Amino acid sequence: MDSVNPIFHAVTGNSKTGEEVGNYNLPIEYTCDHRCECYKEGLCYAENGCYQFTSNQAGYTENYLFYKVSTINAVANNITEFIRENNFSLFRYFTCGDIPGEKFIHIMIKVAIDNPTVRFWAYTKKYHIVNKFIDENGLATIPENLVIVFSHWMNKDGSYFPMNNKYDFPTSEFIPYGKEELKNSVTHVCPCSDPTVKATCATCDHPCYKLRHGESMALLEHSTKATKQRDNEIREAHEKL
């Protein structure tokens, strides 16, 4: 078993995911596709809030550097040790960052196989990396407890960031402020982004971690100035009922 990295950084969740959910992040500078409208329009969540704290950015960068120089087993064993130390049943990749390369898919697969009672979830816009991996290795190589979700981003003008989903992976549909009615066309709505629901990943029924191929989940735009005002108004109206 490869040795455990002494500077490995993972966290025990945040206000949205809940402290009971493990998180592993990487820096967006080296892992995200900056053609995305979420980045260009300033709506990238990893560009704001706690993700930009100096200590967090340093941790993400150290994770990336360790990934670059380490074996699949070394990185996977670090993640597994962190999961078992904290007794997680849910683990999320990339609240910040994205799949840096095919090597990381092998890491996620090994971690999922080594922790069969834990459910794993990863957003990605790196469709080409996932598609190429499946082309070469087959869908059966992805363990059932590892849910890879293709992030399907809707721009403000109603167009979508182009997505090649040749293997029908589950999708998350970003719904901009003012287009909330579009949530009615998806399989699930993320409770954590819904102002009418008080939930975190730790307190809801975890539909995201159970998405199957062909299913979709709406993620309403949240945590911006406009949506915070909207959310407060909706919550105040509900409290008066």
Side-chain angles (χ1 to χ4, degrees), residues 193-230:
S193 70
D194 189 338
T196 65
V197 179
K198 291 185 178 180
T200 68
C201 294
T203 59
C204 81
D205 190 38
H206 319 127
C208 320
Y209 291 82
K210 302 171 185 176
L211 288 172
R212 298 180 180 277
H213 284 249
E215 294 187 331
S216 57
M217 175 189 67
L219 185 69
L220 304 181
E221 181 180 336
H222 56 284
S223 299
T224 61
K225 184 177 181 180
T227 60
K228 285 180 180 178
Q229 181 177 346
R230 174 204 63 192

Side-chain angles (χ1 to χ4, degrees), residues 14 24 39 46 59 64 77 102 104 107 113 139 174 179 202:
N14 53 44
Y24 178 90
Y39 180 82
Y64 179 73
N77 291 342
E102 183 176 319
F104 205 89
I107 290 168
I113 291 172
L139 271 172
F174 175 77
K179 298 183 182 292

Side-chain angles (χ1 to χ4, degrees), residues 69-81:
V69 301
S70 301
T71 65
I72 291 169
N73 283 347
V75 181
N77 291 342
N78 273 273
I79 297 173
T80 285
E81 179 168 289

Side-chain angles (χ1 to χ4, degrees), residues 16 92 121-124 147-153 160 169-175 182-194 201 204-222:
K16 185 174 74 173
R92 176 174 171 176
W121 176 45
Y123 271 136
T124 186
V147 177
I148 298 176
V149 178
F150 277 24
S151 178
H152 199 193
W153 186 272
Y160 276 97
F169 275 88
T171 63
S172 65
E173 307 290 334
F174 175 77
I175 298 180
L182 295 175
K183 70 181 183 180
N184 298 323
S185 64
V186 303
T187 311
H188 304 286
V189 177
C190 173
C192 300
S193 70
D194 189 338
C201 294
C204 81
D205 190 38
H206 319 127
C208 320
Y209 291 82
K210 302 171 185 176
L211 288 172
R212 298 180 180 277
H213 284 249
E215 294 187 331
S216 57
M217 175 189 67
L219 185 69
L220 304 181
E221 181 180 336
H222 56 284

Side-chain angles (χ1 to χ4, degrees), residues 29-213:
E29 289 83 356
Y30 307 113
T31 63
C32 287
D33 186 341
H34 290 171
R35 293 175 302 157
C36 298
E37 293 300 324
C38 52
Y39 180 82
K40 293 191 290 186
E41 292 184 6
L43 288 173
C44 173
Y45 292 107
E47 280 278 280
N48 300 283
C50 65
Y51 299 107
Q52 289 300 306
F53 291 170
T54 300
S55 59
N56 286 344
Q57 285 295 314
Y60 305 158
T61 300
E62 288 183 343
N63 280 347
Y64 179 73
L65 294 175
F66 180 63
Y67 158 79
K68 291 289 287 184
V69 301
S70 301
T71 65
I72 291 169
N73 283 347
V75 181
N77 291 342
N78 273 273
I79 297 173
T80 285
E81 179 168 289
F82 176 69
I83 289 169
R84 293 177 181 176
E85 284 178 350
N86 291 277
N87 197 30
F88 292 126
S89 60
L90 300 174
F91 193 86
R92 176 174 171 176
Y93 295 99
F94 316 131
T95 57
C96 178
D98 206 334
I99 298 172
E102 183 176 319
K103 174 182 168 182
F104 205 89
I105 299 179
H106 287 283
I107 290 168
M108 291 192 293
I109 288 173
K110 176 169 171 50
V111 174
I113 291 172
D114 290 348
N115 299 275
T117 63
V118 180
R119 296 201 66 86
F120 298 88
W121 176 45
Y123 271 136
T124 186
K125 290 189 181 75
K126 296 290 192 71
Y127 319 128
H128 63 287
I129 294 177
V130 178
N131 286 335
K132 181 176 181 292
F133 180 88
I134 302 302
D135 287 344
E136 296 173 352
N137 299 278
L139 271 172
T141 57
I142 306 296
E144 186 178 347
N145 60 328
L146 171 59
V147 177
I148 298 176
V149 178
F150 277 24
S151 178
H152 199 193
W153 186 272
M154 175 181 277
N155 305 323
K156 289 293 188 181
D157 64 3
S159 64
Y160 276 97
F161 182 75
M163 178 179 68
N164 178 8
N165 191 3
K166 61 192 291 187
Y167 292 104
D168 207 19
F169 275 88
T171 63
S172 65
E173 307 290 334
F174 175 77
I175 298 180
Y177 175 69
K179 298 183 182 292
E180 288 80 6
E181 72 279 359
L182 295 175
K183 70 181 183 180
N184 298 323
S185 64
V186 303
T187 311
H188 304 286
V189 177
C190 173
C192 300
S193 70
D194 189 338
T196 65
V197 179
K198 291 185 178 180
T200 68
C201 294
T203 59
C204 81
D205 190 38
H206 319 127
C208 320
Y209 291 82
K210 302 171 185 176
L211 288 172
R212 298 180 180 277
H213 284 249

